[in-house]
Amino acid sequence: MKNNTIQSPIFWGNHAPLSTLVSAGLMIMATSRLAFALALTVALVWVNMLTVLIVSVGKPILPKKGLEILRVFLASFFGSLYLLFSYFVNPFLAMEITFLITLAPLYCIGSGICRRTADLDPEDAVLKAFLEALVLGSILIALALIREPLGFGSLSFPGGPQGMAVLVFSGTLYFPVRVVAGASGGLLLLGYGLSLFRRFKARHSGGEAKQ
Amino acid sequence: MQNTEWVPEKLKGAAFFLAWLAGLFLIAGLAWFLSRPVRADISMRNINTVLKNARELRQLEAPLADKSIPRLKAAKAAQLGTWYSLHNSEDRAVVFSIMTDGILAPYLLFVSPRGEMGEPIPLGAHSAQMLERLPREVLQTYRKRLLAGDALLSGEKK
């Protein structure tokens, strides 16, 4: 059952993060700070990869009936383990993004990655899960790189006793635009991101049609 | 004959499914339950480091719920935050968090035995930046509710 094809393009395809909008909540909440986006990217990769790995490797020992429900529980289980480990490593950051981490399993299930990779080899399935989580993670990081400097006038990285190390931009001519840091700023950027995505997707599909 | 084979097969499937769910619940539940003292210890150490960095002499000693307070009262008081006793003071400390835009920002407040509250000390770097952006009314509401929790722990009706 060798299947090396990864059919749908992960950035412009029908299951791309901006195409399905399963992850819209994450894009609004997790992009206010770079540290949150980085920690959540690791959570998404962890949950996606482990869930898909168990589902594809453990196929013979998984029940046929209720498999959909079991996938939800598996993803939530790995999400909860990630949160637990985060509390050991960086308790304040874990506390701050608890709600966001609980959304990572929802993204994994909502994107339908387990269903779509059911017929692939375990290596291909895990690779696809990794790439899809990474694409969403990159979008989160890119948005955070715009929102945090504009909204807070700083850049943060996970670590340190206060949960994150913050580099504050100072200067008399610089002041943060607070609206960008809030949910309204996230929605604005998401809107711009969506319109860009549609434009490039149309161009990409036009190019494919010509070929 | 077919019917008698079908029923155990269906039951077997259901039992298999339930065993998976129970296994996942058990592993996750045990991991969270058994690691609770370690997590509490790590959190307390981190809070004490933040207090030290803020040049605050008072340090957390232990969660107050572990001491001689009736369980029901402690549970009611803990609805908004975790209460701690202090090493070198008669005051109490409460750690609570305020949610803004899906992010929980943790803070600490010292409460004197007479029910006087200090200013909130931000525990995270994000909380510190959020403190100046929070509406005063929100903080006031939290303070009032925490005072009610403190009254419960003191055994006074305020």
Side-chain angles (χ1 to χ4, degrees):
Chain A
M1 207 168 77
K2 186 74 185 162
N3 189 347
N4 285 326
T5 54
I6 292 179
Q7 296 110 354
S8 175
I10 50 171
F11 202 84
W12 305 117
N14 293 330
H15 302 290
L18 280 168
S19 185
T20 57
L21 274 187
V22 168
S23 43
L26 289 178
M27 286 186 204
I28 293 164
M29 288 186 280
T31 56
S32 60
R33 283 205 180 266
L34 182 61
F36 299 156
L38 288 170
L40 196 69
T41 303
V42 180
L44 288 168
V45 169
W46 164 275
V47 170
N48 251 28
M49 281 178 74
L50 286 177
T51 309
V52 168
L53 180 73
I54 296 296
V55 168
S56 50
V57 171
K59 219 182 276 178
I61 54 163
L62 285 172
K64 300 266 183 306
K65 275 200 169 179
L67 187 58
E68 282 291 325
I69 298 169
L70 190 63
R71 283 173 186 157
V72 176
F73 277 87
L74 263 175
S76 308
F77 172 73
F78 288 120
S80 122
L81 282 191
Y82 180 82
L83 188 60
L84 184 64
F85 295 144
S86 307
Y87 267 105
F88 289 130
V89 179
N90 196 336
F92 289 140
L93 186 65
M95 203 185 286
E96 280 165 350
I97 61 167
T98 296
F99 183 61
L100 301 181
I101 293 176
T102 57
L103 294 180
L106 292 185
Y107 163 72
C108 175
I109 297 303
S111 68
I113 181 77
C114 296
R115 194 173 11 89
R116 286 184 283 118
T117 54
D119 299 328
L120 295 180
D121 287 338
E123 309 94 74
D124 294 334
V126 172
L127 178 68
K128 191 169 168 67
F130 169 72
L131 289 176
E132 284 202 13
L134 203 64
V135 166
L136 176 59
S138 321
I139 294 172
L140 294 179
I141 291 169
L143 289 178
L145 280 170
I146 300 170
R147 276 182 78 191
E148 191 177 357
L150 285 177
F152 286 102
S154 63
L155 260 185
S156 58
F157 300 91
Q162 282 197 301
M164 57 176 93
V166 183
L167 303 172
V168 182
F169 307 141
S170 54
T172 47
L173 287 175
Y174 188 86
F175 59 92
V177 188
R178 289 187 178 189
V179 73
V180 182
S184 47
L187 278 166
L188 271 173
L189 270 179
L190 185 63
Y192 290 130
L194 267 176
S195 50
L196 266 177
F197 171 75
R198 285 188 178 168
R199 189 180 166 83
F200 281 108
K201 190 181 179 188
R203 192 178 285 182
H204 177 82
S205 47
E208 260 185 4
K210 273 181 192 170
Q211 282 173 1
Chain B
M1 187 67 189
Q2 262 184 344
N3 258 349
T4 51
E5 272 174 14
W6 176 79
V7 173
E9 195 62 36
K10 202 173 176 185
L11 274 177
K12 207 174 131 188
F16 198 38
F17 170 70
L18 286 176
W20 262 95
L21 291 196
L24 289 176
F25 266 113
L26 195 71
I27 297 169
L30 278 176
W32 278 92
F33 179 73
L34 294 176
S35 65
R36 201 178 145 204
V38 185
R39 279 185 289 119
D41 194 47
I42 292 172
S43 295
M44 223 163 63
R45 234 182 306 152
N46 266 44
I47 294 168
N48 281 338
T49 312
V50 172
L51 289 176
K52 208 185 243 178
N53 291 346
R55 292 180 188 170
E56 175 59 60
L57 295 175
R58 289 171 285 189
Q59 295 273 296
L60 304 191
E61 187 185 38
L64 215 57
D66 291 350
K67 294 203 165 177
S68 56
I69 293 160
R71 195 170 271 192
L72 191 66
K73 275 189 177 182
K76 271 188 181 172
Q79 279 175 354
L80 257 181
T82 312
W83 293 82
Y84 290 92
S85 60
L86 302 176
H87 263 305
N88 34 13
S89 172
E90 289 289 298
D91 294 358
R92 288 191 190 117
V94 57
V95 175
F96 66 102
S97 41
I98 299 175
M99 192 182 241
T100 43
D101 294 333
I103 307 293
L104 288 161
Y107 295 95
L108 181 140
L109 266 173
F110 288 114
V111 188
S112 76
R114 282 170 296 167
E116 291 157 352
M117 276 190 165
E119 283 302 306
I121 300 172
L123 295 176
H126 178 68
S127 326
Q129 277 186 312
M130 287 309 291
L131 189 59
E132 61 198 53
R133 298 179 181 208
L134 276 174
R136 299 306 301 170
E137 295 78 29
V138 173
L139 269 178
Q140 209 54 40
T141 310
Y142 272 83
R143 289 170 79 100
K144 276 182 186 163
R145 295 169 90 177
L146 289 170
L147 268 178
D150 179 59
L152 267 175
L153 291 177
S154 312
E156 296 166 14
K157 284 189 178 174
K158 286 189 178 175

